C-alpha cells in the first residue's frame, strides 16, 4: 500500500506550526519534499507521488519516467520527467525536467501514478532520443505488451509535423518485440542502416528432429549465419559452459557464428559490418 502523504495545509488543520515542527524533530513525521510530509521514510514511488503533489494540476510522468512504469524503461536516467499542459508555467524543482506537449493526453494510472499513455510515451521517446536509443525503446515497448504496432502507427499520425517525427516514422516499422536487450536492438539497427538484410531476432535453431535446440540473438536462417552480442552476463561460469556447448553444436551443424561486444558496437561498427558482409557472401558449409 502507498504511504499516506499530507500537504502542510492539511496538517495545519489539526496541528499547530509548533506541534508540526516538534513531530518532525522527533521523526514522528518525515518531510518528503517541501510542503509534503509522511508518517515514515518513503520509497522511490512515494517520493514520486510527493513530487506530483507539488506540481500543478494535470501533471503526469512522461518520457523515461513514464516508460519505466509502463515496462519499457530501457533508457535510464536519475531525473524525473513530467508533462504539463502547454499553458501552465514550468515549475523549477531540483531533479525535475518539465515537458510541454501540444497533444492532449489523458493520464493513465500505473500503480497509482499518473503517466502519459504508453503509445504516446514510446513515440515521444522515438522522436526526441538518439536514433540508436530510439529503436530499443520501440522494441521494448512492443515486448512489454504495453503497445502494439497498430497503436504506434496510430500514435504516429497524431505527431505529424512535430519535431523528430520523421525519425520515429522510419523506426516504428522496424521495431520488433522479440529483441531482448538494448544492445541487440542497436546491433540490428546498425545492420539495417548499412543496407544489410534484416536479421531475425531471437531466432531458434532446430535439431534433426525438428525440435528447438538453441536460440541466436540475430540470425540469417537461409545463409546459416548467426550474430551474438556478448554482454557481461556471458562472463558467468555456467553461462560460459552453455555457450561453449552451443558454439560447438552450431559449428558442427554448419552455422557460421559471429560474436561482438560493446567495444565493437560503440567504437568500431565498421568492423561488425565488414565481418558480416563477408560471412553473408560466403557459401554455407552445409547445403
Amino acid at each position: 500500500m502507498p504511504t499516506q502523504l499530507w500537504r502542510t495545509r492539511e496538517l495545519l488543520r489539526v496541528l499547530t506550526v509548533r506541534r508540526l515542527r516538534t513531530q518532525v524533530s522527533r521523526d514522528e513525521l518525515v518531510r518528503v519534499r517541501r510542503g509534503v510530509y509522511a508518517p515514515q521514510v518513503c520509497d522511490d514511488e512515494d517520493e514520486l507521488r510527493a513530487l506530483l503533489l507539488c506540481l500543478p494540476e494535470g501533471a503526469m510522468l512522461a518520457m523515461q519516467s513514464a516508460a519505466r512504469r509502463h515496462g519499457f524503461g530501457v533508457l535510464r536516467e536519475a531525473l524525473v520527467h513530467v508533462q504539463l499542459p502547454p499553458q501552465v508555467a514550468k515549475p523549477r524543482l531540483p531533479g525535475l525536467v518539465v515537458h510541454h506537449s501540444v497533444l492532449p493526453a489523458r493520464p493513465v494510472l500505473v500503480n497509482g501514478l499518473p503517466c502519459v499513455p504508453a503509445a504516446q510515451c514510446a513515440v515521444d521517446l522515438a522522436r526526441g532520443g538518439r536514433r540508436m536509443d530510439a529503436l530499443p525503446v520501440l522494441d521494448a515497448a512492443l515486448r512489454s505488451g504495453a503497445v502494439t504496432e497498430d497503436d504506434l502507427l496510430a500514435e504516429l499520425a497524431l505527431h505529424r509535423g512535430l519535431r523528430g517525427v520523421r525519425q520515429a516514422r522510419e523506426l516504428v516499422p522496424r521495431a520488433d518485440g522479440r529483441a531482448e536487450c538494448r544492445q541487440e536492438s542497436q546491433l540490428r539497427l546498425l545492420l539495417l542502416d548499412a543496407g544489410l538484410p534484416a536479421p531475425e531476432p531471437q531466432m531458434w535453431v532446430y535439431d534433426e528432429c525438428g525440435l528447438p535446440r538453441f536460440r541466436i540473438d540475430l540470425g540469417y536462417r537461409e545463409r546459416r549465419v548467426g550474430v551474438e552480442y556478448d554482454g557481461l552476463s556471458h562472463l558467468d561460469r555456467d553461462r560460459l559452459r552453455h555457450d561453449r556447448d552451443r558454439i560447438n553444436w552450431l559449428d558442427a551443424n554448419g552455422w557460421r557464428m559471429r560474436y561482438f561486444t560493446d567495444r565493437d558496437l560503440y567504437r568500431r561498427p565498421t568492423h561488425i559490418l565488414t565481418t558480416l558482409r563477408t560471412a553473408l557472401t560466403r557459401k554455407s558449409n552445409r547445403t
Side-chain angles (χ1 to χ4, degrees):
M1 293 292 292
T3 301
Q4 178 69 53
L5 299 174
W6 300 287
R7 292 184 176 92
T8 303
R9 64 175 180 268
E10 294 169 335
L11 290 172
L12 291 181
R13 293 171 186 167
V14 294
L15 298 174
T16 64
V17 173
R18 181 176 179 181
R19 182 60 182 168
L20 174 59
R21 291 173 178 170
T22 299
Q23 290 197 10
V24 171
S25 66
R26 293 176 178 175
D27 293 331
E28 296 171 1
L29 282 176
V30 176
R31 183 175 181 268
V32 186
R33 295 190 72 92
R34 183 177 180 180
V36 181
Y37 297 84
Q40 61 195 37
V41 176
C42 292
D43 60 18
D44 292 343
E45 296 299 293
D46 288 327
E47 289 188 3
L48 271 179
R49 292 173 52 237
L51 170 61
L52 290 167
L53 287 176
C54 299
L55 298 177
E57 185 177 354
M60 63 188 86
L61 296 177
M63 306 298 281
Q64 294 94 320
S65 301
R68 198 170 316 132
R69 271 79 206 170
H70 285 302
F72 53 93
V74 293
L75 305 180
R76 294 295 179 180
E77 186 177 345
L79 299 174
V80 177
H81 292 255
V82 299
Q83 178 176 300
L84 287 174
Q87 70 276 13
V88 178
K90 293 184 178 182
R92 295 184 178 181
L93 293 172
L96 181 70
V97 180
V98 179
H99 305 268
H100 278 155
S101 176
V102 297
L103 299 176
R106 287 187 176 182
V108 175
L109 289 180
V110 182
N111 295 328
L113 293 169
C115 297
V116 169
Q120 180 176 331
C121 177
V123 173
D124 282 342
L125 287 168
R127 286 195 300 109
R130 295 187 313 130
R131 186 176 178 84
M132 285 291 279
D133 289 332
L135 186 64
V137 168
L138 295 171
D139 283 352
L142 291 174
R143 182 174 179 79
S144 70
V147 300
T148 65
E149 183 179 358
D150 287 342
D151 294 333
L152 294 175
L153 291 172
E155 186 67 34
L156 268 178
L158 301 177
H159 292 244
R160 184 172 54 247
L162 297 183
R163 183 178 181 180
V165 72
R166 180 177 179 180
Q167 172 174 277
R169 192 179 293 121
E170 291 173 353
L171 293 179
V172 164
R174 294 182 170 188
D176 194 311
R178 290 174 290 179
E180 290 193 341
C181 75
R182 178 168 58 92
Q183 291 83 1
E184 285 180 27
S185 299
Q186 292 174 330
L187 181 54
R188 191 173 89 255
L189 181 61
L190 174 67
L191 306 184
L192 294 173
D193 281 351
L196 290 175
E200 180 181 341
Q202 294 300 319
M203 186 185 73
W204 279 103
V205 178
Y206 300 90
D207 63 17
E208 62 276 5
C209 298
L211 299 175
R213 183 67 183 268
F214 291 111
R215 198 166 49 158
I216 298 173
D217 288 346
L218 298 168
Y220 296 94
R221 193 176 299 278
E222 292 184 1
R223 302 301 301 172
R224 301 184 81 82
V225 172
V227 185
E228 288 279 304
Y229 177 83
D230 283 352
L232 293 176
S233 64
H234 290 263
L235 300 178
D236 176 79
R237 185 176 296 276
D238 289 337
R239 179 65 179 269
L240 181 62
R241 295 188 184 107
H242 175 270
D243 284 348
R244 291 298 172 264
D245 288 342
R246 183 175 65 161
I247 290 169
N248 291 335
W249 187 91
L250 289 168
D251 181 71
N253 284 270
W255 283 84
R256 297 190 303 278
M257 298 297 299
R258 299 296 181 264
Y259 298 88
F260 303 106
T261 65
D262 55 346
R263 183 183 68 159
D264 303 314
L265 182 58
Y266 300 123
R267 296 186 182 180
R268 51 178 199 168
T270 302
H271 165 70
I272 296 176
L273 299 175
T274 301
T275 300
L276 289 180
R277 284 195 179 102
T278 301
L280 290 170
T281 54
R282 285 177 53 191
K283 290 185 178 180
S284 174
N285 296 329
R286 178 174 175 175
T287 59

